Amino acid sequence: MLGKLMKYDLKSMLKTIVPLWLTVIALSVIFAIKYWGGAAYNVDMGNDTVDLILFIILFSVALAIVVMNILFIVQRFWNGLLKEEGYLMFTLPVTTRSLIMSKALSALVISLGSLLVATISISIFSFSFIQGAIHMGVFADLWIETKNALLLLQPSEIGEAIVFLLAGVTSFLNGIYQVYASMAIGQLSNRNRFFLSFIAFVGITVVLSMFASLTDMFVFSNSLVNSCISLLENVVLLVIFHGMTEVLLTRKLNLE
């Protein structure tokens, strides 16, 4: 059932954000084509008004993607579980845990998708500048060297990369769950629910900052150990945030 809930959430979000993703990549490709052409003929493209317009559009769409991600994280949970739609969602034959996890995992997928699109866009955009100065064969050589380096990785280095990746993903998920836990606290009020949610978010952030300042004193020289500690901290916080959200929505749900 969790899969069906995620499918419903993702379908709704992707309809809005996929056109933005495609627009960013398309604009990056247009930039690349223009600069490749300019480099081929030794043309200075930096003063072109069209370039400025394209850059403004690209920046605006990229900013829109960031804003849409934040709105998805907040709006899908707030409207889907804490407003009128919540009456329907909580009558479904699913647990509160599944409802929360569906919103969180769907938001994580969209966030990681946006991160991937940003990486692709920046890579295309950057390549358009260096193409004029570097021969295409250099990139083929770079790919071969990178592939060979990956094949020479030791098991410990592969493990470190996996732990580092997991720590990053759980950190993303932590941010989403912190927002959800804050809104779960805010919905306890009949008035100023959103304001109370904001105060709760700020309060949790302050507490986490104080905790981080304490844990920073125990930094080890081994990067794998540090990544494992970071992953463990993220998992503990995820359990706390999810447990807090689930308990509040199960025992103290306020849809007024």
Side-chain angles (χ1 to χ4, degrees), residues 100-111:
I100 297 170
M101 289 180 64
S102 168
K103 303 295 183 186
L105 294 177
S106 297
L108 177 64
V109 170
I110 295 297
S111 298

Side-chain angles (χ1 to χ4, degrees), residues 21-241:
W21 287 349
L22 296 177
T23 301
V24 166
I25 293 177
L27 288 172
S28 299
V29 171
I30 292 173
F31 257 116
I33 293 173
K34 281 180 62 61
Y35 275 91
W36 288 345
Y41 296 100
N42 296 318
V43 177
D44 182 9
M45 306 296 289
N47 296 323
D48 195 338
T49 304
V50 176
D51 288 345
L52 178 60
I53 295 174
L54 285 174
F55 180 78
I56 292 174
I57 295 174
L58 178 61
F59 178 79
S60 299
V61 176
L63 181 62
I65 290 177
V66 174
V67 173
M68 288 303 301
N69 266 285
I70 296 173
L71 286 178
F72 282 146
I73 293 173
V74 175
Q75 190 179 47
R76 294 298 300 175
F77 187 86
W78 187 268
N79 292 340
L81 298 181
L82 304 179
K83 300 288 284 185
E84 289 78 6
E85 190 179 342
Y87 286 105
L88 173 62
M89 296 302 294
F90 283 102
T91 58
L92 295 175
V94 294
T95 62
T96 302
R97 179 174 301 173
S98 295
L99 292 173
I100 297 170
M101 289 180 64
S102 168
K103 303 295 183 186
L105 294 177
S106 297
L108 177 64
V109 170
I110 295 297
S111 298
L112 293 179
S114 295
L115 181 61
L116 176 62
V117 168
T119 302
I120 294 174
S121 178
I122 292 173
S123 298
I124 295 173
F125 191 78
S126 301
F127 181 78
S128 67
F129 284 98
I130 62 177
Q131 159 59 10
I134 301 177
H135 190 271
M136 286 288 289
V138 173
F139 294 96
D141 296 337
L142 179 61
W143 166 247
I144 294 174
E145 291 178 5
T146 302
K147 184 171 63 173
N148 292 334
L150 291 174
L151 293 175
L152 293 175
L153 284 177
Q154 300 297 319
S156 60
E157 295 173 325
I158 297 176
E160 182 178 346
I162 293 175
V163 172
F164 181 80
L165 180 63
L166 289 175
V169 172
T170 52
S171 180
F172 254 109
L173 197 56
N174 247 336
I176 295 171
Y177 261 110
Q178 182 181 344
V179 174
Y180 290 173
S182 301
M183 288 190 287
I185 295 173
Q187 60 91 34
L188 296 174
S189 173
N190 290 326
R191 296 181 180 180
N192 301 320
R193 302 171 73 190
F194 203 82
F195 178 71
L196 180 58
S197 299
F198 175 75
I199 295 300
F201 181 84
V202 172
I204 293 174
T205 301
V206 171
V207 172
L208 291 180
S209 298
M210 295 173 61
F211 177 75
S213 63
L214 292 176
T215 57
D216 285 344
M217 295 186 298
F218 302 96
V219 177
F220 297 89
S221 57
N222 190 312
S223 57
L224 177 58
V225 173
N226 291 327
S227 295
C228 289
I229 293 175
S230 178
L231 177 59
L232 180 60
E233 290 176 353
N234 289 338
V235 171
V236 171
L237 287 175
L238 277 174
V239 173
I240 293 174
F241 285 147

